[in-house]
Every structure is written in C-alpha cells, then in structure tokens.
Amino acid sequence: MWVMSETPPKTPDFDAMTRDIAEVPAVEVIVTVAVNLMSAAAVKLGLTEEGDVHKDLDEARKLVTALAGLLDAAAPEISTFHAAPLRDGLKSLQLAFREASLVPDEPGQGPGEKYTGPVFG
C-alpha cells in the first residue's frame, strides 16, 4: 500500500515502451519469445541446476507444444539461420520430455509433434 509520505509508485511509460518495441525487428521478437519458451520448458523438465524442484511435465508439454507451433509458423519468416538452432533446441526438449515421461507418448503424440512429426533419439 502506498503511504503519502513515501514516493508514489512509478507508472510505466507506455509511450516509451511502444517506441522501444517499434524499433525491434520482428525476427528478434520471435527469437526472443522462442528462447523464453525453451528456457521455461527446460525448467519444467527439471533440466536446470535445481533439478526436479520445479519439474512439471504437464506444464512442460504446454511450453514445448507452444514452441513447436511458433517455430512451425515463423520458420519461413525468420530464415534457416535463426530457425535451425531453435529447431535443434526444440528437438532436445522433445527428447528430454520423452525420457522424463513415465509413460512415453506414442510416436507423433509427444509435445509439439503434431507440428514437427515424430521425434526419435
């Protein structure tokens, strides 16, 4: 709660934020979102230093599927230079998910595989 004697909370400068985002190329926004999805999925798969503390395969499935959908839709727009390493990261996450699952999905039914096709090690 804000008290009169304190400094009022700073309000975000939405005009400045809009100007800043307007200067960012679309490919950079797409790649940044993809990397954020990858990082979040890795955490939910228990692939961080903290291991299984934040592991949640249901959440990981959602994040990996969203990443696969984004890459499927954006690949023609971001060029192979950007798409190839993101696809490699996606495949690694899909394989990690398969390994972490107690009951593995059928080939083609794993997270994001409706966009990528079946993923095999």
Side-chain angles (χ1 to χ4, degrees):
M1 178 186 340
W2 179 60
V3 180
M4 294 293 280
S5 62
E6 296 176 5
T7 307
K10 186 174 180 181
T11 310
D13 182 356
F14 293 110
D15 290 335
M17 291 168 64
T18 301
R19 280 191 305 275
D20 289 345
I21 199 70
E23 296 171 7
V24 179
V27 71
E28 190 173 326
V29 173
I30 293 166
V31 169
T32 300
V33 170
V35 170
N36 285 331
L37 286 168
M38 284 180 158
S39 298
V43 169
K44 296 298 184 178
L45 285 167
L47 301 177
T48 62
E49 290 180 9
E50 297 172 359
D52 290 347
V53 173
H54 302 289
K55 189 173 184 177
D56 184 334
L57 294 183
D58 183 52
E59 291 289 301
R61 178 183 294 277
K62 294 170 187 169
L63 292 162
V64 172
T65 299
L67 175 62
L70 173 64
L71 293 181
D72 184 55
E77 306 300 328
I78 64 174
S79 79
T80 302
F81 176 78
H82 294 288
L86 294 172
R87 284 188 180 131
D88 290 343
L90 170 60
K91 182 177 180 181
S92 294
L93 291 169
Q94 289 171 311
L95 292 171
F97 185 93
R98 186 169 295 282
E99 187 176 304
S101 296
L102 296 175
V103 181
D105 295 312
E106 292 294 321
Q109 301 302 308
E113 290 182 359
K114 70 180 178 182
Y115 300 108
T116 65
V119 176
F120 301 101

